[in-house]
Amino acid sequence: MSTYSADYSLRRHNTLALPARAEFYGEIENLDQLEAARRFAQERRLPLTVLGEGSNVVLGDRVAGLVVRLVNDDLAVEPLDGQRVRLTVGAGHNWHRLVEQSLQLGWFGLENLALIPGTAGAAPIQNIGAYGVELERFLHGVHAVEVATGERVRFTAAECQLGYRDSVFKGRCRDRFIIHAVELELSAVAAPVVDYPALREDLDRHLSREPEPRDVFEAVCRIRRDKLPDPAGTPNAGSFFKNPIVSADAARRLLRRYPDLATFPAGEDRVKLAAAWLIDRAGWKGVVRGEVGIHDRQALVLFNRGQARAGELLALARDIAASVREHFGVALEMEPRCYGCRF
Ligand code: FAD
Ligand code: NAP
């Protein structure tokens, strides 16, 4: 007998509110249930797809195979010395709740990553980052199960190969491992990172002393609530495209033509371009087409007006990418991952 629901609606499990249906769907609380799901899929030769809170995916009308959501949200705290602690957190733990909990316990570092939607288990997949900080600073290890064999594996932080919105789980190990717990190391010594311009400006406006981690947390929440559309009211998947990283030469050529192009150093001979600037200048900001649109205050955010399906959304995304390529010669890479559809 199957414990999985057949032909299950995933609409409330993706923040774009796309009307996808899973061939089979189940929720996973522990490693035994994970192994049972893996076997269920393997015995029937079905693909196995893992979802967290669905805030970085585009789901086609039908997602074939078994879709599972990890809902294990346990949190273990291991003091390392007087100043450092290791947190081992279940993959299903809500990320923002973890940020709040760590601050309440007096363990610092995650404050810039407040209000990022999603689960702890998905955080290493794209090395979540915001306001000048990336998960990479804190990740110590990842506990995973290999889909093909059921083998339990621990990846060290180095083995995760974290990069800019990237990791081994988007490359060589894509869809090959299910993460069931994540280890982070945090510090009892506050060391706020406040050099990101929007954050600095907000803190200068609201604070007349040196910021503490709680102040940074509140500032990040304030900026995000003010600027970013809440998926509850405006279904979206955050930034739809990654900021492209180009050679310093290519950036120089673009800057000669567009002196106000937003650029940031991204390692030796590499420059990061603001994708939002490119999309805006190509004329897409605020455009609404059928059931989909580009947000009028944040050109990186594509949204569902209510009745969109993946095909319509991806057609818009392709047109945006083609027009940015035509205007600036820059390729845009989609950030959310597609299941049951293609970019
Ligand atoms: P999902 O969207 O459910 O899954 C994303 C990918 O991870 C899928 O490929 C899925 O298969 C895989 N995955 C999920 N869980 C597991 C697991 N346990 N094991 C193996 N694979 C798994 N991202 C940022 O980096 N910075 C931001 O500031 C940011 N802001 C956002 C704001 C909004 C409004 C939205 C909607 C999104 C934003 N994002 C941001 C993107 C998103 O929040 C993150 O990528 C987040 O980590 C996704 O978590 P999730 O649980 O929703 O993953
Ligand atoms: P913003 O402050 O308007 O800045 C636009 C872009 O410029 C950002 O994408 C950011 O790159 C880059 N940038 C700005 N100042 C920078 C600096 N000093 N050094 C390096 N890069 C800089 O951005 P926003 O859209 O309001 O987002 C604020 C933060 O939240 C950003 O860090 C962004 O990544 C994050 N965010 C991410 C998502 C997502 O889905 N991935 C969604 C919403 C917000 P980075 O993106 O590399 O930081």
Side-chain angles (χ1 to χ4, degrees), residues 50 52-56 117-119 122 125-126 128-129 179 224 238 337 339:
V50 193
E53 294 180 12
S55 63
N56 212 13
T119 54
I125 305 277
Q126 75 154 1
I128 55 169
I179 295 171
R224 294 188 75 108
R337 291 169 65 180
Y339 293 92

Side-chain angles (χ1 to χ4, degrees), residues 55-56 116 126 129-134 164-165 195-198 223-224 227-228 237-241 243 262 264-265 272-276 298 300-301 335:
S55 63
N56 212 13
I116 298 183
Q126 75 154 1
Y131 301 97
V133 170
E134 292 180 331
Y164 178 60
R165 306 287 187 270
D195 37 7
Y196 193 93
I223 304 169
R224 294 188 75 108
K227 187 168 178 192
L228 296 168
S239 304
F240 207 85
F241 298 102
N243 288 325
F264 308 94
K272 183 176 79 178
L273 310 179
Q298 174 42 287
L300 265 186
V301 174
E335 184 180 289

